[in-house]
């Protein structure tokens, strides 16, 4: 059985990552790994589906047990990817998407050089700010904090294999499939044709 591909998928807040992933995951070849976090669940989030919601003590216990492929602290909370969420599925041939922030992404790139990394960028910073304001869920101060965090993350985009600009959702999803198709062709190409 062919092993699945490990896909790192990062985007600053307000880049439409959630909407893009919802589209991509309609294709059953892909599975999104469920991370552990110490942050409190938001309304509509379910344990074991959105995240594994665990305490700091439990998280630190899992770190000691080497249960994580990577973990990072983000806005005073831990977030981490369990190895068990990744390798069993790759083994079965499923492509596993890690929806993780930049620090964790850089760690996975080092540990798993075969991972394909994709950074989702907004068309412009003004557009990012406009989208965050449109959501209407944050105060102006929080919006500016998110914008400056996004600027820091965008500076790391060049470390990823691919950058997709999410201007029009359908185009961004189609760009994602193009990247995956190119990767598949590269790994499946055989020079048997010249023998
Ligand atoms: P949120 O609290 O909004 O769900 O997520 C905050 C940030 O944590 C997002 O950028 C998200 O991509 C990132 N994140 C979610 N799960 C993980 C994980 O397992 N590891 C790392 N490093 N980041 C994660």
């Amino acid at each position: 059985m062919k092993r699945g591909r490990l896909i790192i998928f990062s985007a600053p807040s307000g880049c439409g990552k959630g909407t893009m992933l919802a589209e991509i995951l309609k294709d059953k070849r892909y599975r999104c790994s469920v991370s552990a976090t110490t942050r409190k669940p938001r309304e509509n989030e379910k344990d074991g589906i959105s995240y594994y919601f665990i305490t700091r003590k439990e998280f630190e216990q899992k770190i000691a047990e080497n249960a994580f492929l990577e973990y990072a602290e983000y806005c005073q909370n831990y977030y981490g990817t369990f190895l068990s969420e990744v390798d069993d599925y790759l083994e079965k041939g499923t492509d596993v998407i890690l929806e993780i922030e930049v620090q964790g992404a850089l760690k996975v790139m080092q540990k798993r050089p075969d991972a394909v990394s994709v950074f989702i960028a907004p068309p412009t910073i003004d557009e990012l700010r406009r989208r965050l304001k449109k959501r209407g869920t944050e105060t102006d101060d929080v919006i500016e904090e998110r914008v400056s965090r996004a600027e820091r993350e965008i500076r790391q985009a060049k470390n990823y294999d691919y950058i997709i600009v999410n201007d029009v959702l359908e185009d961004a999803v189609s760009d994602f499939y193009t990247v995956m198709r190119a990767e598949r062709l590269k790994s499946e190409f055989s020079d048997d044709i010249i023998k």
Side-chain angles (χ1 to χ4, degrees):
M1 158 88 65
K2 231 189 132 333
R3 237 176 111 77
R5 267 160 315 154
L6 184 58
I7 303 159
I8 301 169
F9 191 92
S10 304
S13 123
C15 285
K17 173 176 55 180
T19 333
M20 262 187 89
L21 270 180
E23 274 304 306
I24 292 165
L25 291 172
K26 286 183 187 163
D27 182 335
K28 295 299 165 210
R29 276 177 302 183
Y30 300 101
R31 174 183 193 275
C32 203
S33 145
V34 180
S35 296
T37 183
T38 58
R39 93 153 155 71
K40 296 277 164 285
R42 297 185 186 127
E43 223 180 296
N44 300 326
E45 284 186 328
K46 291 203 173 65
D47 188 39
I49 296 174
S50 320
Y51 281 104
Y52 298 107
F53 294 101
I54 62 177
T55 63
R56 258 190 117 73
K57 195 163 170 237
E58 286 165 333
F59 201 104
E60 282 163 1
Q61 176 71 31
K62 293 289 180 191
I63 297 174
E65 289 168 9
N66 287 321
F68 290 113
L69 168 60
E70 64 74 38
Y71 66 91
E73 266 201 280
Y74 180 93
C75 295
Q76 287 98 50
N77 279 302
Y78 279 127
Y79 291 83
T81 309
F82 284 129
L83 278 164
S84 57
E85 279 286 315
V86 174
D87 287 326
D88 297 351
Y89 293 94
L90 292 177
E91 218 51 66
K92 287 185 212 139
T94 304
D95 289 344
V96 178
I97 300 179
L98 307 183
E99 190 258 277
I100 60 179
E101 51 64 68
V102 170
Q103 307 164 67
L106 296 175
K107 287 187 212 158
V108 179
M109 288 176 207
Q110 280 176 356
K111 284 193 179 170
R112 303 283 176 100
D114 55 328
V116 181
S117 54
V118 182
F119 186 90
I120 312 301
T124 62
I125 291 295
D126 280 348
E127 174 60 15
L128 179 80
R129 187 178 284 114
R130 199 189 62 76
R131 287 182 192 171
L132 288 170
K133 281 195 175 150
K134 200 171 141 212
R135 264 197 213 168
T137 49
E138 278 99 16
T139 60
D140 282 356
D141 281 358
V142 174
I143 289 175
E144 283 317 309
E145 193 192 319
R146 292 199 174 205
V147 169
S148 64
R149 178 179 285 274
E151 286 174 333
R152 286 201 300 279
E153 291 184 351
I154 291 167
R155 277 194 198 98
Q156 303 282 345
K158 61 182 181 313
N159 293 310
Y160 287 66
D161 297 321
Y162 301 96
I163 300 176
I164 294 177
V165 176
N166 188 6
D167 190 357
V168 176
L169 174 72
E170 295 75 35
D171 293 347
V173 171
S174 155
D175 285 350
F176 176 83
Y177 285 131
T178 304
V179 160
M180 290 307 141
R181 180 163 158 71
E183 283 291 324
R184 198 168 300 128
L185 287 172
K186 193 165 66 178
S187 65
E188 288 172 5
F189 179 75
S190 156
D191 57 10
D192 283 355
I193 53 169
I194 55 173
K195 282 182 196 142

